[in-house]
Amino acid sequence: GEDAFDDAERCLWLAPAYAKGYLRRGGAEWRLGRRADARASYEAGLAVEPENERLKEELARLRTRPDTAPRVAAQQAMYRTMVVSPSLDVEGLFELLQEPDRLTNAAVAARAPQLDSLLEYLCATLECDLVVLKTCAPLREAYDRATFACGQLLSSCPGAGSRLNAAHRVVGALRHALRCGWRMEPRARSHGVAKFAANALAVVAASPEADDEIRRAATRHLLGAATQWLVDASPEPDPRPAPSREANAPAPARGRDDVETSASDDDGGEMPTLERAPSRRSDDDDERRERQRVVCGCGALSPRLSAATWLERLFERGVPPWVREEVDAFRDAELLAVHLTVAVRDERAPPLGLPGLARCCAPRLMASSTRVDLFVRPEWRWDAAIRVAGRLDAAPAPAPAADD
């Protein structure tokens, strides 16, 4: 499932020309029900290795199914959005979610059957193929709204929300939103989809009121996503837009009335210079962009810095016993700790997630003999430079040299 998908993604980040990685990713996407994505993965694999027979076989099998074509997948998703939505009173749900005073545990419990139906519909939207989201702006808008609705419900009422019948599917759908959020619209102003999903999972994971099975699942999903985000080498972009053509154009010639001069006049005195009132438009634009980039208290625009924020949020009230157990059992705990340390050290990422991780699995980290290469060679991709190189546990210790 998602773990196999994560492994294949990590493999392709380190070796983009490795055809077997595309085969593994396509198989994981198929098992997760994302058939158009699976087809796209097989096509990408054949682009790097056109004679791979296994990829040819899988792609030929998928092409016999109409629902693997992005156009058909988009039509099915749009049908759910445009036809099914009105019959379920989705707008009524959004009105409830936008009024915090009405969104209480009692209100959620009283409307449980209706909310379950609505959440099932929203989860179907969140499980949409990434290749469809990239090419269909109306679906991206629907995806954003669905993420907001699911995230707002769980983060506002983690107790009652986690006990809905649809809660398990909602948490799984938010996990998919974590994977899609940074890639479905790379130039998004705030990447609100990924941040809303991460915030909801962090709140549920740390909540003493939430259902135990749901909060443990939320913890696992958040740890997995944080590891993937920390491995992602995408740099933090400049939130300011690139200078426009007009901004780079040469300044217009000054007229007589615009000249600033200190030349003397006929009386031997200095002529007063003309001063223009400073414009606040640039400052106002910067403030507006800053407000837009902050979602749920996170203003990071790269996956690495955002991951550090949500790990800090997970541990901000201490280390609950269920979180400690899930972190200690997490298969990539060493990799997570290493990459978080590097992000804090080199990029000034929020640091308070590190003590939480250490409290959860310090004995495991101290006992680990993982060899990590932290030296970045100029010819390497940055994300390939920081990687687990191998374990020394199974390697026999070298025999001591005999004295002459």
Side-chain angles (χ1 to χ4, degrees):
E2 290 281 2
D3 289 338
F5 175 79
D6 288 347
D7 289 342
E9 280 278 272
R10 200 176 303 164
C11 169
L12 291 173
W13 284 343
L14 298 177
Y18 185 50
K20 194 171 182 179
Y22 294 97
L23 187 65
R24 295 286 177 83
R25 188 176 72 182
E29 289 166 335
W30 176 265
R31 289 189 292 274
L32 291 167
R34 302 201 289 272
R35 291 165 181 163
D37 282 345
R39 177 171 170 170
S41 290
Y42 295 144
E43 290 173 342
L46 285 173
V48 300
E49 191 174 314
E51 301 306 318
N52 188 293
E53 292 299 327
R54 184 70 186 281
L55 283 169
K56 287 182 179 179
E57 293 173 4
E58 294 298 329
L59 182 57
R61 179 176 64 86
L62 264 62
R63 281 178 172 168
T64 63
R65 298 182 57 110
D67 58 348
T68 64
R71 180 179 58 83
V72 176
Q75 289 174 347
Q76 294 173 346
M78 286 300 296
Y79 172 81
R80 290 194 301 268
T81 301
M82 304 302 294
V83 178
V84 179
S85 171
S87 66
L88 291 175
D89 189 26
V90 174
E91 293 303 324
L93 172 62
F94 279 101
E95 291 177 5
L96 173 65
L97 295 175
Q98 291 171 356
E99 297 184 24
D101 293 340
R102 295 175 54 198
L103 193 58
T104 63
N105 285 326
V108 171
R111 300 183 60 178
Q114 180 186 8
L115 289 174
D116 278 324
S117 298
L118 288 166
L119 291 173
E120 291 286 347
Y121 155 75
L122 293 173
C123 286
T125 301
L126 292 180
E127 292 160 357
C128 185
D129 295 79
L130 177 60
V131 68
V132 174
L133 290 171
K134 285 182 175 180
T135 58
C136 185
L139 280 180
R140 288 198 297 271
E141 179 66 24
Y143 201 96
D144 187 278
R145 286 165 58 84
T147 306
F148 164 76
C150 293
Q152 183 79 345
L153 179 63
L154 284 182
S155 58
S156 299
C157 301
S162 65
R163 289 176 173 79
L164 293 170
N165 293 333
H168 195 275
R169 186 178 180 184
V170 170
V171 170
L174 288 175
R175 181 183 190 180
H176 181 46
L178 293 175
R179 301 302 193 273
C180 291
W182 292 100
R183 295 187 296 167
M184 69 185 223
E185 198 171 9
R187 296 181 181 179
R189 290 190 297 265
S190 64
H191 297 285
V193 165
K195 293 176 183 179
F196 250 110
N199 180 68
L201 292 178
V203 171
V204 172
S207 173
E209 303 174 357
D211 176 82
D212 187 62
E213 181 181 353
I214 298 299
R215 67 191 179 192
R216 286 177 179 273
T219 303
R220 292 192 297 270
H221 297 343
L222 188 63
L223 293 174
T227 304
Q228 292 298 101
W229 292 0
L230 286 166
V231 173
D232 190 332
S234 302
E236 181 81 357
D238 188 345
R240 296 171 298 179
S244 63
R245 184 175 180 179
E246 290 77 7
N248 292 328
R254 292 176 181 265
R256 288 178 54 189
D257 295 337
D258 295 330
V259 174
E260 298 178 9
T261 178
S262 58
S264 299
D265 59 11
D266 294 339
D267 297 333
E270 291 187 351
M271 295 179 63
T273 59
L274 299 176
E275 296 182 359
R276 298 179 179 178
S279 172
R280 293 188 53 84
R281 181 176 179 180
S282 177
D283 293 340
D284 292 342
D285 289 345
D286 288 344
E287 292 177 5
R288 177 175 53 81
R289 283 190 292 269
E290 181 65 23
R291 289 194 302 270
Q292 288 176 338
R293 69 184 287 186
V294 177
V295 177
C296 299
C298 176
L301 295 180
S302 72
R304 291 172 62 79
L305 297 184
S306 184
T309 299
W310 306 116
L311 289 172
E312 185 173 275
R313 189 78 53 87
L314 177 64
F315 297 115
E316 67 181 356
R317 296 184 180 179
V319 183
W322 59 89
V323 173
R324 183 190 301 271
E325 293 169 6
E326 293 298 332
V327 173
D328 190 41
F330 182 54
R331 60 174 187 154
D332 290 327
E334 295 95 340
L335 188 64
L336 177 61
V338 166
H339 280 273
L340 181 57
T341 301
V342 173
V344 171
R345 183 194 69 182
D346 295 346
E347 301 179 60
R348 298 184 179 180
L352 298 183
L354 272 174
L357 281 177
R359 289 179 64 186
C360 291
C361 56
R364 176 178 166 183
L365 295 176
M366 296 299 293
S368 172
S369 53
T370 301
R371 184 174 70 240
V372 180
D373 192 343
L374 296 179
F375 179 72
V376 182
R377 296 184 175 90
E379 67 273 16
W380 284 2
R381 284 178 49 185
W382 193 86
D383 50 339
I386 302 176
R387 69 196 190 283
V388 175
R391 290 185 177 275
L392 304 180
D393 304 80
D403 297 332
D404 293 334

